[in-house]
Amino acid sequence: MKLIGSPTSPFVRKVRIVLADKHIDYDFVIDLPAEPNTKVPEFNPLGKIPVLIDDGGNRIFDSSVIVEYLDSFAPANQFIPESPLLRIQVRRWEALADGILDATVLIVQEGRRPQELQSAAWIDRQRGKIARGLDVAERELGDRRWCAGDDYSLADIALGCTLGFLDFRFQDLEWRSSHPNLARHARELFSRKAFEATVPA
């Protein structure tokens, strides 16, 4: 099994954490889609990472799809509940976390454009999405230990990857001071072995 991606991508990190927590062996092939010699489009026509190539040669892309595949492939330590209501809760948390990440990545990409071509209004719009998303996550997490139900799940993994990416790319955001529930949750998540082993650098 091979995982194609970048060690700094939060979407790739989500998959790497699931692989680690499930104790699945794999080869990590580093390939950056923005590089001129990238081979990512050969495996994903959209040219995006992560891409998982299973032992049968099947090419699976999009982090959410890969995680669902892994949860079915290795049912031990299941991260997507079978209960329909709880499953929707977990998926909703993942959608919220991934949405915050999408806005964050758009800001990073905008910042790489020439200064005269950057749009302050566009960046502000994305920052608004991040702020609202964090506020909702803070409120809905409350004083609970886990995002959805009584166990660690994909909801927590997705949220942890989002918070970790904010630390990596937006150190000036200081989200912890205004979101103590998220700060508490991040401390617990970041102490887990799978999170420690996948910190972007």
Side-chain angles (χ1 to χ4, degrees):
M1 189 173 290
K2 294 181 180 179
L3 178 67
I4 300 172
S6 163
T8 61
S9 165
F11 297 104
V12 173
R13 188 184 189 192
K14 186 203 305 184
V15 175
R16 292 176 69 200
I17 288 171
V18 171
L19 285 163
D21 280 336
K22 285 180 173 288
H23 307 290
I24 299 174
D25 291 329
Y26 68 100
D27 293 324
F28 187 30
V29 179
I30 297 177
D31 195 337
L32 310 180
E35 294 294 323
N37 60 344
T38 181
K39 294 184 179 179
V40 171
E42 297 177 17
F43 305 105
N44 177 358
L46 304 177
K48 299 172 68 175
I49 51 175
V51 180
L52 183 76
I53 304 176
D54 69 10
D55 293 337
N58 296 303
R59 300 168 181 182
I60 305 163
F61 42 85
D62 188 275
S63 63
S64 296
V65 177
I66 294 172
V67 168
E68 184 160 1
Y69 167 78
L70 293 173
D71 227 33
S72 302
F73 174 80
N77 299 330
Q78 198 164 32
F79 298 125
I80 304 174
E82 294 183 4
S83 165
L85 290 178
L86 191 54
R87 184 185 187 91
I88 290 298
Q89 289 180 36
V90 168
R91 285 301 202 184
R92 180 177 177 272
W93 270 102
E94 183 187 22
L96 177 63
D98 285 1
I100 296 171
L101 277 181
D102 286 337
T104 305
V105 170
L106 287 173
I107 293 174
V108 172
Q109 292 174 342
E110 185 72 5
R112 290 173 177 163
R113 301 176 72 201
Q115 184 70 38
E116 66 274 12
L117 297 179
Q118 294 180 26
S119 169
W122 172 257
I123 292 173
D124 287 344
R125 182 179 177 187
Q126 305 314 316
R127 283 189 175 272
K129 294 176 185 178
I130 295 170
R132 292 191 300 273
L134 290 175
D135 288 346
V136 168
E138 169 75 9
R139 183 171 63 251
E140 295 196 1
L141 178 63
D143 60 359
R144 297 197 311 275
R145 182 180 182 188
W146 306 117
C147 291
D150 299 323
D151 295 302
Y152 172 71
S153 72
L154 177 59
D156 305 288
I157 294 171
L159 180 61
C161 289
T162 295
L163 299 177
F165 194 67
L166 290 176
D167 283 347
F168 180 56
R169 292 295 191 192
F170 287 85
Q171 296 179 6
D172 63 324
L173 188 60
E174 297 182 353
W175 56 268
R176 286 175 175 79
S177 59
S178 54
H179 302 85
N181 296 334
L182 297 183
R184 167 185 52 81
H185 197 39
R187 283 194 298 273
E188 176 157 1
L189 292 174
F190 294 173
S191 68
R192 296 177 67 91
K193 290 183 179 179
F195 275 88
E196 289 180 341
T198 57
V199 174

